[in-house]
Amino acid sequence: MMPRWKGKGLQAKANADPMSKIVSQLQSSLIQFETRGLLSSCSVLVEVDAELADLLNRSCFGRPRITAQEDKQWFQLDMEEAFYLCFSLKCLKVIGEDGSIKSNEELWDYFKSKKLVFPVSYKVYSHLRHKNWVVRSGLQYGVDFVAYRHHPALVHSEYAVLALSEGDNDLNGRLRVWSDVHCTVRLCGSVAKTLLTVIVNSNNQGANSPSCLEHYTVEERTITRWNPERSREDQTGPKNGTKKILKDWCNHI
Amino acid sequence: MAKLNHNLSMAIALLSSILIAASMVTSEEEFMITIPPEPEPGFYKTIEECIEKMSRECGENIVKAVLEDEDISEQCCVELVRGMGKICHDDLLQFYVSLPQLGFNVTHLNIRAISVFIMGSDDWGSCSDNEVYLQDRNEDDDEEDCYSSGFLSKLQFRKDISKARWVDDLAMAEVVEKKGKMWVTMGIVRNGNTYCFIEETLFLIEIGALHVLDGNDIHLSLKELYEKLSNGKSGCYWELFEVYKHLKSLGYVVGRHGIPWSVKGQQIKSGTCSLEGSQESNEMLELEPKDENSVIELFNNMQITDVSPAFNVYLPNSKFRKSSPGDPSFVLYISRCSPSSRVEIEALERKHGAIPFKFCHVENGRVSFFSFAKTELPILP
């Protein structure tokens, strides 16, 4: 599936403003302001000024919270987003309920306690983010994430992503039966996205600390439905190819 | 004879005017197009209701597209896909084909053309491929799928019926009299003789293109052949047959995986059919040098238990030759239980190399095809 830009000139706009640059600007700004996040159950809250708010919006990290507060803005980060900023980009520190800064190991353990599959889910999130794709929650589509080539305002997301773990069917249990495959593929199709499974292999490294992550391997696979009625000719478009198929078929019977 | 009403007679007049224009019937015969009795009560009422859903212009446009290779206008595509719908479309085509005069006067080539449209609905396909209807496509597909292949069994081909004799030992039909060009893509050739597997035999009988006799030259009924399919000795089972028929009806060339299409100077072996893999393909494997690694690899490949390679599928291609079929467009695996794991899929990728493969899932008469393709998202700027 080709990327579907939301308007003319938006692709050019995206090309002029690469995501990698926006993210690195975000990174340096967060470091500069020594931003601290507040851990609250499964979210991390950050209070930022206008410049940082703009960077967070443009790089698609977190959701802004509308409050009456005028000078600063609050953002709410998901676990994967927060951990990416802390662990991968090293630009955010998170404060726990006791007021002290959580180390990466502590955050890792904490997030794992909230979400059993956090290691797998995080590996997929960071894998795609590292390639400069924008990754957001895919919950409303029945998947883990949706991946965009750039900011969602500019382009529709092409991929609906499922983070699967190799062989650990207990943990994940998706796509185990055919009706799951039918369901997910159909859903993705009806929202014009391709189903992408990103399969994480822990290589028996376990998940005791975030340093295990670098030994995980990742494989991407798309699951698509093939429609035999449509694919009968090689190159020609449907209208021209129709006649050729007709003639070919007639010659055979 | 059914009572002619306004709509039906209009439909006939429309068809005959086009046929005359295409020189398929003479103008005297126009008035002799009689309507046969309804295949089912209420069928003609349905047809009348269907005809009302489309303007006369578009009706003409589409019938011309079917019979004369013309393009369907965008407006008429809208009327066809949105206004009329697939069920009406298929019903109307069935009606036209059932008109007895068409069986006799329309040339050999054209009745096949019409039947392709019933089975494959190319005009439907090319209309609904239009992006505008992208959203509707999935809905239409799933509901109407089950209707389109049902009409196949109502077709009777009056001429060109081939004959074959069922050989119990082989669990195959030996073709005795060939009619029609379908034999270019069906049946396997051994020592100059052509043999059909049960799925090919059943397919041809269902479309009325084959008569099968037993060892005593007594005609075998469709029922007896369904029984042969069920007894498990012919290397096939119901779901495999459903897949075979689905793809064949759409014009694909389908052959059993591992069975060569044509072998000269070699008699057919019993056991060619067996589900576990043909003797012939096993013999061919033995010709390759055996060292420990390749034996282990062979064994590893065989441990894929849930899926077995069923068919080699080729795109509809008038250049298909059994003597040199080339690589299939893809190998088809029929999955019976659950979707394959990544490990299994990787093993299959190693086994087939450059040739793609797809999985087919058959349940409740529904045949669905899936590809599990490796990919790598690009690193973006």
Side-chain angles (χ1 to χ4, degrees), chain A residues 96-131:
Chain A
E97 66 268 349
D98 58 356
S100 64
I101 293 179
K102 296 274 196 193
S103 69
N104 285 334
E105 280 71 19
E106 287 171 320
L107 258 187
W108 174 260
D109 285 336
Y110 178 82
F111 286 147
K112 270 197 314 176
S113 73
K114 295 291 185 186
K115 186 174 177 180
L116 206 56
V117 296
F118 181 74
V120 172
S121 152
Y122 179 73
K123 181 69 188 176
V124 173
Y125 180 89
S126 59
H127 171 79
L128 294 173
R129 271 285 189 187
H130 270 129
K131 295 211 240 189

Side-chain angles (χ1 to χ4, degrees), chain B residues 224-363:
Chain B
E224 288 166 292
L225 281 150
Y226 282 142
E227 283 164 358
K228 292 195 192 295
L229 177 65
S230 309
N231 73 15
K233 293 185 203 146
S234 44
C236 190
Y237 51 94
W238 183 255
E239 283 77 13
L240 266 188
F241 170 59
E242 283 193 291
V243 175
Y244 179 84
K245 176 174 154 176
H246 186 97
L247 287 175
K248 274 308 283 185
S249 307
L250 293 170
Y252 290 89
V253 177
V254 185
R256 283 202 191 177
H257 182 79
I259 312 278
W261 284 90
S262 171
V263 182
K264 291 195 178 123
Q266 198 180 70
Q267 296 285 7
I268 187 141
K269 299 189 198 318
S270 61
T272 300
C273 279
S274 69
L275 256 179
E276 280 69 39
S278 79
Q279 276 198 340
E280 292 178 356
S281 69
N282 286 339
E283 276 175 18
M284 289 198 176
L285 286 174
E286 277 167 28
L287 292 172
E288 284 162 29
K290 259 199 240 182
D291 60 56
E292 208 181 271
N293 285 336
S294 72
V295 169
I296 291 172
E297 199 183 285
L298 215 61
F299 187 65
N300 283 339
N301 287 340
M302 282 193 252
Q303 282 182 324
I304 301 157
T305 48
D306 188 32
V307 291
S308 44
F311 297 117
N312 287 349
V313 182
Y314 301 77
L315 290 180
N317 179 3
S318 57
K319 298 195 194 73
F320 179 85
R321 294 280 171 262
K322 290 182 196 174
S323 49
S324 61
D327 282 335
S329 300
F330 61 91
V331 175
L332 190 62
Y333 281 80
I334 316 290
S335 174
R336 296 177 87 169
C337 309
S338 43
S340 298
S341 71
R342 187 191 77 95
V343 175
E344 289 170 333
I345 294 174
E346 287 225 310
L348 294 180
E349 281 171 343
R350 282 195 299 273
K351 178 173 164 183
H352 292 294
I355 300 175
F357 58 92
K358 294 189 198 296
F359 288 92
C360 181
H361 176 235
V362 188
E363 205 170 311

Side-chain angles (χ1 to χ4, degrees), chain B residues 142-157:
Chain B
D142 292 339
E143 288 316 302
E144 271 78 294
D145 256 350
C146 39
Y147 292 98
S148 55
S149 45
F151 296 139
L152 205 45
S153 54
K154 296 193 166 110
L155 286 173
Q156 293 290 322
F157 290 84

Side-chain angles (χ1 to χ4, degrees), chain B residues 101-287:
Chain B
Q101 280 72 11
L102 264 66
F104 285 120
N105 295 324
V106 175
T107 62
H108 175 89
L109 190 73
N110 287 305
I111 200 167
R112 266 63 176 182
I114 294 170
S115 64
V116 167
F117 279 83
I118 290 181
M119 291 182 283
S121 295
D122 283 291
D123 55 336
W124 181 269
S126 68
C127 264
S128 53
D129 265 350
N130 191 318
E131 268 176 29
V132 178
Y133 311 114
L134 190 62
Q135 304 96 301
D136 287 344
R137 174 80 184 174
N138 284 332
E139 258 79 62
D140 288 332
D141 262 354
D142 292 339
E143 288 316 302
E144 271 78 294
D145 256 350
C146 39
Y147 292 98
S148 55
S149 45
F151 296 139
L152 205 45
S153 54
K154 296 193 166 110
L155 286 173
Q156 293 290 322
F157 290 84
R158 291 159 200 286
K159 311 176 189 176
D160 296 355
I161 302 186
S162 305
K163 286 199 178 51
R165 184 171 295 111
W166 186 261
V167 181
D168 268 326
D169 287 345
L170 295 175
M172 295 179 81
E174 182 176 347
V175 184
V176 161
E177 210 175 294
K178 281 187 194 175
K179 293 270 171 75
K181 293 187 189 167
M182 63 196 149
W183 297 107
V184 176
T185 56
M186 293 186 70
I188 60 171
V189 181
R190 296 289 182 270
N191 212 22
N193 295 325
T194 305
Y195 301 87
C196 286
F197 288 109
I198 183 79
E199 63 272 12
E200 298 173 300
T201 311
L202 274 174
F203 172 72
L204 290 172
I205 295 178
E206 281 191 347
I207 63 169
L210 183 68
H211 276 150
V212 180
L213 312 169
D214 68 4
N216 299 321
D217 274 356
I218 297 176
H219 177 78
L220 279 174
S221 67
L222 190 57
K223 174 167 180 273
E224 288 166 292
L225 281 150
Y226 282 142
E227 283 164 358
K228 292 195 192 295
L229 177 65
S230 309
N231 73 15
K233 293 185 203 146
S234 44
C236 190
Y237 51 94
W238 183 255
E239 283 77 13
L240 266 188
F241 170 59
E242 283 193 291
V243 175
Y244 179 84
K245 176 174 154 176
H246 186 97
L247 287 175
K248 274 308 283 185
S249 307
L250 293 170
Y252 290 89
V253 177
V254 185
R256 283 202 191 177
H257 182 79
I259 312 278
W261 284 90
S262 171
V263 182
K264 291 195 178 123
Q266 198 180 70
Q267 296 285 7
I268 187 141
K269 299 189 198 318
S270 61
T272 300
C273 279
S274 69
L275 256 179
E276 280 69 39
S278 79
Q279 276 198 340
E280 292 178 356
S281 69
N282 286 339
E283 276 175 18
M284 289 198 176
L285 286 174
E286 277 167 28
L287 292 172

